[in-house]
Amino acid sequence: MENSSKDDYKIQSFDIETQTLLKTALNDPGSVDLEKVCSVIVEQSLKDQIFSREAGRICYSIVQTEAKQNNGSSFRRHLLTRLQQEFIAREETRRRSTQDWVCLVSFICNIFDYLKVNNMPMLALVQPVYDCLLRLAQPDALKNEVEVDCLVLQLHRIGDQLEKMNMERMDEMFYLLRDGFLLQEDLSSMGRLLLLEILEFRAGGWNLSDTAQKYYYSEVTD
Amino acid sequence: MSTNQKYTSENDSKHDENRNKGPSRWSSCRKRGADGSLRRSHPNEEENKDQRCSQRPERFTTPESEGPVSRVKNWGDEVEAEEMRSNVHRDMHRYRRRILAADSPQRDRKISSGSSESRDSKDSPAKGDVETDETTLMRRQKQITYGKNTLAYDRYMKEVPKHMRQPGVHPRTPNKFKKYSRRSWDQQIKLWRVSLHAWDPPAEEGSELEQIEEIDLGEIMDFDFDVECSADTETASQYPESKGASLSLQEDSFTGTPKKMMKIEDAEMA
């Protein structure tokens, strides 16, 4: 059983009691109420931006451990069911709070990234992820920097995987992004910058050339 | 929010037919339809959304699905099915390699760490005799999984390492890749599962000695089986327990070592 320090899973934002619950779940999933664990993780992911981008890792660990321990998959099932509910209600969430909406997208994408099935991405999530990202590529979303930022982050992380699973929808997405960049007048300059970078990123095979890297990131200190 | 409203299409036309005609979800950005003809000028965003909703097909076939897939599916179920499917395919590749290795002149019998259920020391089928139908393989795999998700199997695995299994003495998982009739296969599964009961854990106090019933496992696979299921699943199998019935032909149901089974196995129990 691997030694899971707090830092690996970014669970510092939880209260102590919950952290203990999570650590127990990581070591001995059979001994805890996995539905509750799932609920706790999902709730936090939907409001904590940092955690929403990292929750996939802890989820995957729990899934693996449960499978090894008793060949069970109940945590994964709870997680997916909950995720599906949130996905179905996403438009409502977006209307209510942009922050919650971008957290939801980050979370779904992070789960897609980490929760592999026999080292393959979960097919069931491909279309939902695309649905979310394509929503972010709509004009009313592109004008919000927060949403553009979320979109490009996800594309950086999982764009190449998504493209492999469905090239056509990725093409459609980039039609929208090009159109937005070129034609949309209410984009902020940061929004435009982010879009230009992602256009170049994909054009470079999901990689940024050295010169582009310098252009976009020369002021970023590592 | 009504899920059905969002996903049910008002017309029943299949995805393929819809693609080239009229506005689609992407028409706001595409100048031409997929058939090359110019599109009308774009309807506004709101209209687009409604049209998108109403024109989204309810069922369609994608490259990764076996047949028409209805849109609203439970993600948990889908992923579990994906996992089983990919496991079955992986097993198939391993099995094929093993057969080919057996057929080669060197007869190099490398024992990999894969599932032993597909390993046939004596009777490798001829190349044409491999079961490849995915539905059949999935069904058989489910039956095998039920059998392996038992305390008895777990104890059996711990007690008898694979390389120490003696044919005729120790139960052997039926080989899902061999061609069998449905009846033959179901019978093999039954016998296998019954023979595994030799490794049932000792009975707890108060449990009754039940008869070993002939249960039609084929039926059970298709609908929920309302039995008192043991909540514990504990085995080293690569297939997860699915939400459906977990057959409880385990600890409480049977007690003692079924001596009759040993005779059927035609050997002495160690």
Side-chain angles (χ1 to χ4, degrees):
Chain A
M1 209 61 63
E2 59 189 15
N3 233 351
S4 49
S5 71
K6 267 193 257 187
D7 294 325
D8 285 342
Y9 299 112
K10 307 269 193 289
I11 62 175
Q12 304 91 318
S13 47
F14 291 95
D15 61 60
I16 296 296
E17 194 187 315
T18 312
Q19 288 188 38
T20 312
L21 173 65
L22 293 176
K23 284 189 223 168
T24 315
L26 284 161
N27 286 317
D28 187 11
S31 70
V32 296
D33 176 0
L34 288 172
E35 191 172 359
K36 169 141 177 73
V37 172
C38 167
S39 183
V40 149
I41 291 177
V42 172
E43 292 297 332
Q44 188 71 11
S45 302
L46 296 179
K47 46 183 215 257
D48 177 343
Q49 270 218 308
I50 307 284
F51 190 66
S52 70
R53 299 173 187 179
E54 309 294 339
R57 202 177 298 138
I58 189 174
C59 289
Y60 188 56
S61 283
I62 298 177
V63 168
Q64 295 281 76
T65 312
E66 191 193 348
K68 277 198 196 94
Q69 186 180 53
N70 56 22
N71 205 43
S73 63
S74 67
F75 178 76
R76 182 176 70 189
R77 178 169 278 280
H78 288 309
L79 180 64
L80 289 170
T81 304
R82 195 55 212 281
L83 208 57
Q84 187 170 16
Q85 288 165 6
E86 296 295 337
F87 170 75
I88 286 169
R90 66 194 181 282
E91 199 56 43
E92 217 170 279
T93 301
R94 182 174 181 273
R95 272 195 284 271
R96 187 184 67 236
S97 154
T98 308
Q99 281 302 326
D100 289 0
W101 156 241
V102 299
C103 281
L104 171 60
V105 178
S106 295
F107 183 48
I108 291 187
C109 292
N110 202 235
I111 294 293
F112 175 79
D113 198 7
Y114 277 94
L115 242 69
K116 301 283 204 287
V117 168
N118 287 333
N119 295 323
M120 292 281 295
M122 287 194 278
L123 281 173
L125 291 190
V126 173
Q127 296 310 325
V129 166
Y130 267 118
D131 287 345
C132 288
L133 297 184
L134 279 153
R135 180 63 185 89
L136 287 172
Q138 299 300 317
D140 66 341
L142 287 181
K143 70 179 187 213
N144 294 332
E145 215 168 279
V146 170
E147 292 186 79
V148 181
D149 187 63
C150 176
L151 173 63
V152 302
L153 175 67
Q154 308 316 324
L155 286 173
H156 275 116
R157 286 178 159 199
I158 60 173
D160 55 346
Q161 294 178 56
L162 276 178
E163 186 180 69
K164 282 195 191 83
M165 308 296 293
N166 190 323
M167 173 76 82
E168 202 179 78
R169 281 196 97 182
M170 189 57 79
D171 287 341
E172 301 299 353
M173 168 126 59
F174 273 77
Y175 288 137
L176 288 172
L177 297 183
R178 280 192 205 96
D179 281 356
F181 175 79
L182 286 169
L183 307 170
Q184 212 170 319
E185 292 185 353
D186 53 1
L187 252 41
S188 69
S189 63
M190 176 56 90
R192 268 185 232 284
L193 183 70
L194 293 171
L195 287 181
L196 187 60
E197 195 267 4
I198 200 70
L199 289 166
E200 284 198 60
F201 186 71
R202 189 200 181 200
W206 303 100
N207 242 313
L208 220 49
S209 69
D210 285 342
T211 47
Q213 179 83 21
K214 239 190 254 176
Y215 176 85
Y216 291 105
Y217 297 105
S218 61
E219 285 160 43
V220 174
T221 51
D222 250 40
Chain B
M1 176 180 286
S2 160
T3 312
N4 289 333
Q5 255 175 1
K6 207 166 166 62
Y7 289 104
T8 304
S9 69
E10 278 159 9
N11 52 23
D12 278 21
S13 54
K14 294 271 187 229
H15 181 65
D16 287 328
E17 291 167 52
N18 262 346
R19 283 174 81 116
N20 298 337
K21 299 174 183 135
S24 70
R25 65 195 301 159
W26 316 128
S27 60
S28 62
C29 56
R30 283 212 287 190
K31 202 169 146 186
R32 295 177 188 276
D35 58 1
S37 57
L38 283 170
R39 290 194 191 281
R40 317 190 284 279
S41 58
H42 321 148
N44 67 30
E45 168 98 351
E46 278 306 295
E47 226 175 75
N48 233 12
K49 275 188 186 147
D50 290 335
Q51 279 162 339
R52 271 202 298 257
C53 286
S54 66
Q55 289 206 346
R56 284 178 97 192
E58 191 177 337
R59 294 170 66 80
F60 50 90
T61 304
T62 66
E64 53 261 23
S65 67
E66 321 163 55
V69 171
S70 83
R71 187 176 290 276
V72 182
K73 264 185 128 178
N74 182 294
W75 290 358
D77 289 337
E78 281 190 71
V79 169
E80 225 144 78
E82 272 176 50
E83 190 171 49
M84 187 177 290
R85 195 172 297 126
S86 77
N87 283 340
V88 163
H89 282 289
R90 179 200 58 203
D91 284 354
M92 168 102 80
H93 287 134
R94 280 188 189 156
Y95 183 63
R96 286 213 152 109
R97 280 201 303 271
R98 220 172 268 137
I99 302 183
L100 287 172
D103 282 349
S104 74
Q106 293 161 333
R107 292 185 73 73
D108 185 19
R109 238 175 259 305
K110 275 206 186 127
I111 298 177
S112 72
S113 60
S115 65
S116 68
E117 65 199 47
S118 315
R119 198 184 325 141
D120 280 299
S121 49
K122 287 180 189 171
D123 32 16
S124 298
K127 276 169 195 156
D129 286 347
V130 173
E131 180 61 69
T132 54
D133 176 52
E134 194 178 273
T135 318
T136 308
L137 288 172
M138 299 273 280
R139 175 174 26 89
R140 290 182 177 183
Q141 185 54 60
K142 266 187 215 162
Q143 289 169 297
I144 291 169
T145 305
Y146 281 133
K148 290 190 172 181
N149 275 340
T150 56
L151 275 174
Y153 188 79
D154 199 35
R155 296 177 84 234
Y156 170 47
M157 291 289 289
K158 288 187 177 127
E159 189 180 303
V160 185
K162 278 184 194 165
H163 61 271
M164 297 204 9
R165 286 189 187 175
Q166 298 163 40
V169 175
H170 294 125
R172 210 163 150 208
T173 311
N175 179 349
K176 64 179 177 277
F177 293 113
K178 289 178 80 174
K179 289 273 193 192
Y180 296 112
S181 69
R182 177 76 187 259
R183 277 170 54 95
S184 165
W185 172 263
D186 287 350
Q187 181 70 3
Q188 289 181 59
I189 287 280
K190 273 181 218 176
L191 292 173
W192 172 65
R193 295 214 53 187
V194 170
S195 68
L196 284 174
H197 286 302
W199 280 269
D200 280 343
E204 290 169 17
E205 264 193 52
S207 68
E208 294 174 19
L209 186 67
E210 290 179 24
Q211 272 190 337
I212 297 172
E213 287 192 64
E214 290 279 89
I215 295 179
D216 184 354
L217 293 172
E219 279 185 279
I220 285 169
M221 299 304 138
D222 295 338
F223 54 84
D224 279 351
F225 192 17
D226 191 19
V227 185
E228 257 179 67
C229 291
S230 159
D232 300 324
T233 55
E234 53 291 288
T235 45
S237 157
Q238 70 264 36
Y239 295 88
E241 180 175 73
S242 61
K243 190 175 72 156
S246 170
L247 286 178
S248 68
L249 301 173
Q250 56 217 41
E251 61 252 70
D252 293 324
S253 311
F254 305 98
T255 59
T257 308
K259 298 224 189 292
K260 270 191 180 171
M261 293 327 303
M262 290 195 288
K263 280 194 186 154
I264 292 174
E265 292 295 315
D266 203 34
E268 290 166 5
M269 283 299 193

